[in-house]
Amino acid sequence: MLLKNSEKTLPLLKSEHLAVIGPNNNLSHAIATYYGGSEPCNGFTNMVDAVAQHAASTTQALGCQSVTSAPDANMLAAAVALARAADKVVMTVGQDGTIEHEGHDRTSISLTPCQEQLVAAVSDAAKTPITVVILTGGAIDTAAMLKNDKVGAVIHAGQPSVTVLGVGDLIFGDEVPAGRMIQTIYPGDYINEVSIFDMNMRPGP
């Protein structure tokens, strides 16, 4: 789902050099094995592959060791350097099975601190507004990204797993983003206002 596209940030040009930055750059393998087999027929692909199949050239950096790791100054600096050197930036953030899975619920719908810091630093360093792709099985508070003028586009891609190459088609305009959100996304502090155990189905104070 395309949640934001300010000043026609998308589609990106295939003739440009792109940096793909974020801890979910390699998410495909982790979620493909969650509900499916461990070896898909055509191998594992990820968001770097999705961008590289279209762009003239690509570089990549995680920025955070994982979606749950603490901020790392060296990894952040490397990501910022790539962002400054690239024509455009595609970020891959969200969650994976270490944050939420069957029998293990999340306690927050916000991006983790490392990812929040990464999005802010990279969007500030990039030459033009960046594109953020959210790979997640659950709702993620996108309020900060939607308000940030340096985040030009936001795509909520869910858990595309081995079909992640299709996200590249959306970013570069080969396909038109469409669909409907299957979740209502509340601000992150909503969890402090209404208990998850409150089943009244009525608004709180």
Side-chain angles (χ1 to χ4, degrees):
M1 271 60 73
L2 182 65
L3 303 184
K4 180 180 182 181
N5 190 21
S6 299
E7 302 299 324
K8 297 183 179 179
T9 298
L10 298 179
L12 300 182
L13 298 177
K14 298 181 180 182
S15 59
E16 295 182 308
H17 167 64
L18 271 71
V20 187
I21 299 171
N24 268 350
N25 275 6
N26 300 310
L27 182 63
S28 178
H29 186 283
I31 60 176
T33 57
Y34 189 54
Y35 278 119
S38 59
E39 292 297 333
C41 296
N42 297 317
F44 289 104
T45 52
N46 55 39
M47 272 304 302
V48 178
D49 300 316
V51 172
Q53 68 178 341
H54 296 285
S57 61
T58 59
T59 51
Q60 62 172 304
L62 293 178
C64 302
Q65 188 62 45
S66 71
V67 293
T68 58
S69 63
D72 183 304
N74 292 330
M75 295 189 75
L76 180 63
V80 166
L82 284 187
R84 286 182 178 144
D87 295 318
K88 297 287 173 58
V89 174
V90 174
M91 294 203 70
T92 57
V93 298
Q95 67 177 57
D96 61 18
T98 63
I99 292 181
E100 178 183 48
H101 55 77
E102 290 188 29
H104 178 71
D105 295 332
R106 284 184 293 165
T107 58
S108 171
I109 61 172
S110 299
L111 283 179
T112 53
C114 186
Q115 293 186 93
E116 288 183 340
Q117 181 179 351
L118 181 65
V119 171
V122 167
S123 62
D124 189 56
K127 297 174 183 176
T128 59
I130 67 171
T131 297
V132 177
V133 178
I134 303 172
L135 303 177
T136 174
I140 294 287
D141 179 8
T142 58
M145 289 181 276
L146 296 180
K147 293 177 182 176
N148 186 347
D149 292 338
K150 295 183 178 180
V151 175
V154 178
I155 293 179
H156 188 288
Q159 288 186 327
S161 188
V162 293
T163 65
V164 72
L165 291 179
V167 182
D169 295 338
L170 302 179
I171 292 172
F172 289 91
D174 287 355
E175 298 292 341
V176 178
R180 299 292 182 269
M181 291 294 291
I182 61 170
Q183 302 148 337
T184 299
I185 301 179
Y186 294 96
D189 60 1
Y190 178 80
I191 63 169
N192 300 317
E193 299 175 14
V194 179
S195 170
I196 193 174
F197 300 107
D198 182 352
M199 302 300 172
N200 291 319
M201 302 299 288
R202 297 291 184 272

